[in-house]
Amino acid sequence: MYKSKRITLRAFTQDDAKYINEIKNDFKALKAFAGRPFPSNLVSEKEWISNMYPPGLMSSIYFVIEENETNNFIGYAVARKIDYLNSNAEVGIIFHKNARGKGFFKEASILFYKYLFSEINLHKVYSFVLVYNDIAIENDKKIGFKVEGIMKEQIYQGGKYHDVYMISLYSDDFYNLHKKD
């Protein structure tokens, strides 16, 4: 577990399946994150969780984001496509609708990226953001992400293709920006 003032990053349990199911069935929110609006159910989410931590070197790392005061599930963080040779991974953080807009993003991001840079020895993390998702772009820039490129017509939603930014955060830039955090 990794802990900060208001949140803890911890492993998933089967009890978390109901919250993942709610997140994945919130189609409007998923579309903002370039997610796929496919229905989910509790059985499939429990199966997903049960396969989350295989033996050996993991290509993905998942953490529940839990509020310390209430011990409530408020979201989750993922590093996937972990490339141990080149020290990079694709990352994402998503919050349950009950936790959005409460200022948890920065704290969760700093805690998660500190873990990835200092414990997993990643040099770079990257993500993809829809070019019109101004809130996500602004929040990621506050953490230290920079736009590295644009992928034209990458995501198909609502009957048309949309561009996405590829954004990246380097460990040195992160630590220079968040020395006090």
Side-chain angles (χ1 to χ4, degrees):
M1 289 192 328
Y2 295 89
K3 200 169 195 167
S4 64
K5 184 177 180 182
R6 296 189 312 148
I7 62 165
T8 296
L9 300 181
R10 63 161 175 83
F12 272 82
T13 68
Q14 290 294 313
D15 293 337
D16 299 316
K18 63 184 172 186
Y19 303 109
I20 297 299
N21 188 49
E22 289 172 5
I23 288 171
K24 289 186 177 178
N25 282 307
D26 184 355
F27 293 167
K28 184 178 178 184
L30 276 182
K31 288 176 97 175
F33 296 103
R36 295 282 152 248
F38 296 121
S40 176
N41 64 47
L42 206 50
V43 172
S44 66
E45 297 314 324
K46 285 184 177 185
E47 184 177 331
W48 179 65
I49 290 170
S50 68
N51 294 316
M52 196 174 279
Y53 304 107
L57 201 56
M58 296 192 304
S59 61
S60 297
I61 297 172
Y62 297 89
F63 281 112
V64 165
I65 305 167
E66 184 176 86
E67 185 178 16
N68 292 339
E69 188 176 310
T70 62
N71 293 328
N72 286 340
F73 176 109
I74 59 171
Y76 69 97
V78 59
R80 60 189 205 117
K81 299 180 184 173
I82 299 172
D83 181 340
Y84 291 97
L85 180 63
N86 296 302
S87 301
N88 63 61
E90 182 179 346
V91 294
I93 296 176
I94 189 164
F95 287 94
H96 189 275
K97 63 184 173 186
N98 296 337
R100 292 183 201 135
K102 296 185 178 180
F104 290 116
F105 180 80
K106 182 177 180 182
E107 190 171 345
S109 296
I110 290 170
L111 190 59
F112 184 50
Y113 300 139
K114 273 186 184 177
Y115 165 78
L116 293 175
F117 293 139
S118 66
E119 301 297 328
I120 306 300
N121 193 32
L122 293 184
H123 171 66
K124 171 185 174 178
V125 294
Y126 61 91
S127 190
F128 301 95
V129 182
L130 289 160
V131 296
Y132 57 79
N133 190 341
D134 296 330
I135 293 171
I137 294 165
E138 190 61 34
N139 285 335
D140 287 330
K141 283 182 177 179
K142 289 177 186 175
I143 302 303
F145 279 88
K146 294 179 181 154
V147 173
E148 288 201 342
I150 189 167
M151 299 173 78
K152 304 297 279 180
E153 299 182 3
Q154 181 70 15
I155 300 292
Y156 184 77
Q157 286 182 350
K160 59 185 176 179
Y161 290 94
H162 301 277
D163 299 345
V164 296
Y165 290 127
M166 184 206 179
I167 60 172
S168 297
L169 174 63
Y170 292 85
S171 59
D172 289 345
D173 294 339
F174 174 79
Y175 284 118
N176 286 333
L177 187 61
H178 300 285
K179 289 177 187 169
K180 297 177 188 175
D181 297 324

